[in-house]
Structures are given as C-alpha cells and as structure tokens.
C-alpha cells in the first residue's frame, strides 16, 4: 500500500481522534474499568422533582450521542493500530486492499466496498 497515503490518512485519523475525544469529554468520562469505553455524565442538578426529570432527560439524550462517538473513536483507534501493524487499508472480511477513494472518504473503514 502507498506509504504516503497511509501517512496522510494517519494524520487525519489522529486529528479526528483528538476532536472526538474532546467532544466526548464535554459530556462523558472514560470508563475506569474498561479501556476505550466511555460513560455519559449524569449531572446532579438538584433533588427536586423538576430537576430530577431534567437530569434524566439530559442523560437520555447524552447516551446515544456518547455511544455513536464512542463507536467512531473505537474505529479510529483500531485504524491507527492497523497502521502500526502494517494491516491498514485491508478488508477485515476478505483481506483485499480497500480502494483509495473509499479510504479518503472514511479512513477508518474496516471493509472493502463488497463487504460494507
Ligand atoms: Zn472485502
């Protein structure tokens, strides 16, 4: 695989990782027990009925956001790991090289166009 391209995509991935980590950090915190897992923050706004229901509503909107960002971050971490292991840009299903166009759109793609 083209080393220049890997370098270029690698730095894109690093940037995206930083941005995602910062975004997650605004409403979630890393799970102490499971590496790579994040937990949405549950904010204690007060003990009144109104405050409690607001807390639950906020938590409920944070959870899916946290999940989708966490999944993206996981994909990025895996892709960065693959760069280290020289297996970047290889389809996880068939072992074929993923085409450049696809990788440029999504550098953390795990599969080729046939297996997405
Ligand atoms: Zn494939």
């Amino acid at each position: 695989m083209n080393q220049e391209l890997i370098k270029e995509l690698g730095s894109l991935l690093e940037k995206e990782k930083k941005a995602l980590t910062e975004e997650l950090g605004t409403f979630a915190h890393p799970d102490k027990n499971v590496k790579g897992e994040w937990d949405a923050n549950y904010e204690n706004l007060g003990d009144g009925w109104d405050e409690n229901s607001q807390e639950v509503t906020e938590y409920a909107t944070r959870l899916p956001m946290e999940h989708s960002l966490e999944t993206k971050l996981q994909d990025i971490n895996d892709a960065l790991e693959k760069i280290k292991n020289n297996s970047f840009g290889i389809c996880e299903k068939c072992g074929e090289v993923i085409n450049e166009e696809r990788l440029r759109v999504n550098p953390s793609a795990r599969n080729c166009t046939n297996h997405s």
Side-chain angles (χ1 to χ4, degrees):
M1 223 190 152
N2 181 345
Q3 290 302 314
E4 282 299 307
L5 177 67
I6 294 181
K7 233 174 117 186
E8 188 188 327
L9 295 178
S11 70
L12 271 179
L13 285 164
E14 288 286 358
K15 262 186 223 153
E16 212 176 322
K17 177 182 174 173
K18 198 166 164 269
L20 274 176
T21 308
E22 273 170 20
E23 202 180 337
L24 263 170
T26 61
F27 66 93
H29 55 276
D31 191 311
K32 285 188 202 81
N33 303 312
V34 193
K35 199 176 167 280
E37 287 266 336
W38 288 71
D39 293 321
N41 294 334
Y42 187 93
E43 240 164 324
N44 198 353
L45 302 169
D47 291 324
W49 186 86
D50 271 358
E51 284 133 347
N52 280 340
S53 84
Q54 199 188 333
E55 286 164 17
V56 172
T57 312
E58 257 181 52
Y59 186 68
T61 46
R62 279 174 186 181
L63 265 189
M65 251 170 35
E66 184 264 314
H67 274 293
S68 97
L69 289 178
E70 184 188 298
T71 308
K72 269 192 219 161
L73 190 58
Q74 195 60 54
D75 287 344
I76 289 170
N77 281 332
D78 286 353
L80 287 167
E81 198 60 33
K82 285 178 191 170
I83 291 178
K84 278 192 213 147
N85 300 332
N86 283 325
S87 58
F88 178 77
I90 311 276
C91 172
E92 286 180 5
K93 290 248 170 69
C94 66
E96 291 290 323
V97 172
I98 302 171
N99 75 48
E100 182 176 331
E101 220 170 288
R102 178 165 167 79
L103 285 172
R104 282 191 185 278
V105 176
N106 177 18
S108 56
R110 294 174 183 274
N111 304 112
C112 71
T113 31
N114 292 332
H115 294 107
S116 55

